[in-house]
Amino acid sequence: MIQVYLLEVGDIRCRMEETTLSGDNPVAAGCAGGCGAVQKAPVEGTIRKDLPGWDRLTPWQQDKISRCTQTGNRALCMGGQLLLQYVAYKKGVTYNMRSLDDRKQVENRAVIWQQLYYPCLLKDIPAPFPLQVAYETHGKPYIVHMPWHYNLSHSGDYVAIAVGDEPVGIDIQQMRSYKDSLVRRFFSEEEAAAHECFAAAHNWGYRDRTELFYALWCRKEAYGKLKGTGLTEDVLKRNMLEDVGAHLYEYGGIPGYRVCVCGGEI
């Protein structure tokens, strides 16, 4: 069973941009998230230590966030690290508290999708869980001494994490305009044909070419991350409309986004 948690980080970004003017004449200005906060120019390279959730992260997680140079990237990175802390507690606490019947009922489901909200998720992170990260040969991260696997992805204002007892890969994409040359360059012949003659793709349940394009791209990303290789030539040219030797699960519950998680190699 795979658990997927999705978090919108607009509020994190907004709070990162909030500051207080020195002196007696504050100026109200709307931040990028539309919060209408009192602001001044932020100090380059610094993050507010009173930002809700900052104290729920380990030093290496804080350092990872601080190394991001843009506020939007910092918000996405912080969202991902908070999800990792959330998962660490949920994988331990809720599993131990569930009855055997409850666990069987949950485990019989292939994927559980859940949207979380900031700062509400902080109530389930009482303190920084002492996570230690390490990396596989191709750079895929894992948590040391933990009996579960995870994978993170972010796009637009959302970050997603997939967790399972076996290796997983996940990708989320905000659907934007794209060039058809990407299809010809990166898709298999079968995928390119389905994109070109979209009527033939209706059986796959996608509403238009854009949705089909991002569904296929998410599948490729998730599959490559499951393998730990990323988007190699083999992954890019593999026909994701057919059996790829692993289970692919998709989610379209966020308007303007596509999500795919890949796991359970066949």
Side-chain angles (χ1 to χ4, degrees), residues 53-74:
W54 186 256
D55 60 346
R56 318 293 172 89
L57 301 170
T58 63
W60 71 262
Q61 289 179 304
Q62 294 174 348
D63 179 65
K64 182 179 180 69
I65 298 164
S66 298
R67 283 188 276 111
C68 297
T69 57
Q70 297 181 345
T71 302
N73 291 335
R74 284 180 172 178

Side-chain angles (χ1 to χ4, degrees), residues 4 30 37-38 47 70 74 77 88 90 94 102 112 114 123 144 150 152 156 182 189 217 223:
V4 177
V38 175
I47 295 179
Q70 297 181 345
R74 284 180 172 178
C77 186
K90 284 295 182 181
T94 55
D102 288 340
I112 294 178
Q114 184 177 353
K123 72 180 188 303
V144 179
Y150 84 98
L152 280 164
L182 293 175
E189 292 182 4
W217 193 266
Y223 180 76

Side-chain angles (χ1 to χ4, degrees), residues 12-249:
I12 298 178
R13 184 186 66 245
C14 184
R15 290 173 187 248
M16 282 183 171
E17 292 174 345
E18 291 177 359
T19 57
T20 304
L21 279 170
S22 58
D24 299 323
N25 297 308
V27 178
C31 72
C35 62
V38 175
Q39 296 183 323
K40 70 172 182 179
V43 179
E44 184 71 23
T46 62
I47 295 179
R48 293 168 49 119
K49 299 305 183 286
D50 61 344
L51 184 68
W54 186 256
D55 60 346
R56 318 293 172 89
L57 301 170
T58 63
W60 71 262
Q61 289 179 304
Q62 294 174 348
D63 179 65
K64 182 179 180 69
I65 298 164
S66 298
R67 283 188 276 111
C68 297
T69 57
Q70 297 181 345
T71 302
N73 291 335
R74 284 180 172 178
L76 288 166
C77 186
M78 182 170 176
Q81 297 308 311
L82 286 174
L83 284 179
L84 196 52
Q85 286 287 337
Y86 179 89
V87 164
Y89 278 100
K90 284 295 182 181
K91 289 295 285 184
V93 177
T94 55
Y95 186 86
N96 291 333
M97 290 178 61
R98 286 195 188 111
S99 68
L100 180 60
D101 289 340
D102 288 340
R103 291 203 297 267
K104 287 181 177 178
Q105 184 176 2
V106 170
E107 289 165 358
N108 285 335
R109 298 174 62 181
V111 182
I112 294 178
W113 307 86
Q114 184 177 353
Q115 291 194 43
L116 301 176
Y117 301 92
Y118 174 89
C120 300
L121 84 165
L122 299 180
K123 72 180 188 303
D124 292 311
I125 311 173
F129 198 95
L131 302 172
Q132 297 181 32
V133 70
Y135 297 88
E136 297 176 0
T137 304
H138 295 284
K140 185 177 181 179
Y142 66 94
I143 300 300
V144 179
H145 306 311
M146 287 293 177
W148 42 266
H149 302 259
Y150 84 98
N151 195 229
L152 280 164
S153 179
H154 61 76
S155 181
D157 276 336
Y158 277 87
V159 60
I161 188 170
V163 189
D165 296 329
E166 299 178 351
V168 291
I170 191 170
D171 189 57
I172 181 171
Q173 292 288 333
Q174 183 180 26
M175 294 188 289
R176 299 173 178 174
S177 59
Y178 61 93
K179 295 181 179 180
D180 286 344
S181 59
L182 293 175
V183 176
R184 295 189 294 271
R185 181 178 178 185
F186 296 120
F187 283 13
S188 69
E189 292 182 4
E190 296 83 359
E191 292 168 336
H195 180 271
E196 179 67 23
C197 304
F198 179 71
H202 280 309
N203 291 333
W204 299 100
Y206 304 116
R207 291 174 292 185
D208 51 39
R209 282 189 175 88
T210 298
E211 198 168 89
L212 174 62
F213 172 86
Y214 279 101
L216 291 172
W217 193 266
C218 283
R219 289 184 178 195
K220 293 178 184 294
E221 290 269 15
Y223 180 76
K225 293 171 79 174
L226 168 70
K227 292 291 188 181
T229 61
L231 289 176
T232 62
E233 185 69 16
D234 174 67
V235 172
L236 286 170
K237 291 301 182 180
R238 188 177 290 267
N239 182 10
M240 291 292 163
L241 291 172
E242 295 183 349
D243 183 8
V244 295
H247 297 290
L248 295 164
Y249 307 98

